[in-house]
Amino acid sequence: MEEQQSPFKAAIQPGLTIGLVSLALTFIAYFIDATLLGSAWFGLIAIVIFFVLIIYFGKQYRTEIGGYMTFGTAFNFSFIAILISGIISLIGQLLLFHVIDPSLAGVLSDQAFENALSMMENFGASADSMSPEQLEDMRANTSRQFTLSGQLMGFGIGIIIYAIIALILAAILKKRDKSLDY
């Protein structure tokens, strides 16, 4: 009988794969047009690809372990794969923003600031109603997210988001063996 991999070991390869795909998408978007990285469409496409891949690898793992997977096993598999993917993405983004193109952070920060102002106007608020200090604080906050400490803090917050996503994915991936019901 073949020994089954633990969810932790099984999640390493999918996590690496998803992280590298995410990194490739980021760099492709950067080379096409750097402002795509701040685009909502790019983010949406990346999230869809991310979910499709993690569900694919999760179903593949479920098949490997006999076709059934508990919620806990599915959560562990999903969370570890997402965490590994996130670490790879973080390393790639740190390289991109601090080594390859340090000016990119300013471009994306300006784009994020303009997007925030546009969203405020869509909800009926005007940038004119804000004081110059408030606008400057808003601009500083958007710039801060691209600094080294901002990216590391974002990753820390991302771990909580990863856990929530892993809970959702675990609910999708779990499959109970109904033959064990009495």
Side-chain angles (χ1 to χ4, degrees):
M1 185 171 158
E2 195 176 307
E3 191 175 317
Q4 294 179 354
Q5 277 189 321
S6 72
F8 298 103
K9 286 183 181 178
I12 293 171
Q13 187 63 39
L16 290 171
T17 303
I18 295 167
L20 291 174
V21 167
S22 172
L23 204 55
L25 284 174
T26 300
F27 279 94
I28 288 169
Y30 169 72
F31 290 124
I32 291 173
D33 180 8
T35 59
L36 284 175
L37 295 173
S39 162
W41 287 106
F42 175 75
L44 184 62
I45 289 169
I47 288 172
V48 168
I49 290 171
F50 173 80
F51 270 97
V52 167
L53 286 174
I54 197 75
I55 290 170
Y56 169 77
F57 286 122
K59 286 184 176 184
Q60 193 176 41
Y61 175 61
R62 184 176 69 196
T63 301
E64 287 175 16
I65 62 171
Y68 300 102
M69 187 163 39
T70 65
F71 181 83
T73 301
F75 174 78
N76 289 337
F77 174 84
S78 300
F79 183 70
I80 296 302
I82 294 169
L83 186 63
I84 291 170
S85 168
I87 291 169
I88 291 171
S89 294
L90 175 66
I91 291 168
Q93 288 178 7
L94 289 173
L95 285 172
L96 182 60
F97 291 125
H98 302 286
V99 177
I100 296 170
D101 189 356
S103 67
L104 179 61
V107 171
L108 293 179
S109 176
D110 290 343
Q111 183 180 3
F113 179 72
E114 294 300 322
N115 289 345
L117 290 178
S118 174
M119 189 179 297
M120 284 175 44
E121 288 175 4
N122 288 341
F123 286 112
S126 171
D128 297 334
S129 66
M130 296 178 74
S131 71
E133 293 83 22
Q134 288 175 318
L135 288 172
E136 191 54 42
D137 283 347
M138 198 169 138
R139 183 178 292 279
N141 288 335
T142 58
S143 294
R144 209 171 294 133
Q145 67 185 339
F146 295 103
T147 64
L148 178 63
S149 62
Q151 286 180 300
L152 292 174
M153 189 169 61
F155 179 74
I157 293 168
I159 291 173
I160 296 167
I161 295 167
Y162 295 164
I164 294 167
I165 292 170
L167 287 170
I168 294 166
L169 290 168
I172 293 169
L173 293 171
K174 72 175 174 59
K175 187 172 182 183
R176 195 181 71 194
D177 184 357
K178 293 179 182 167
S179 69
L180 297 177
D181 292 344
Y182 297 109

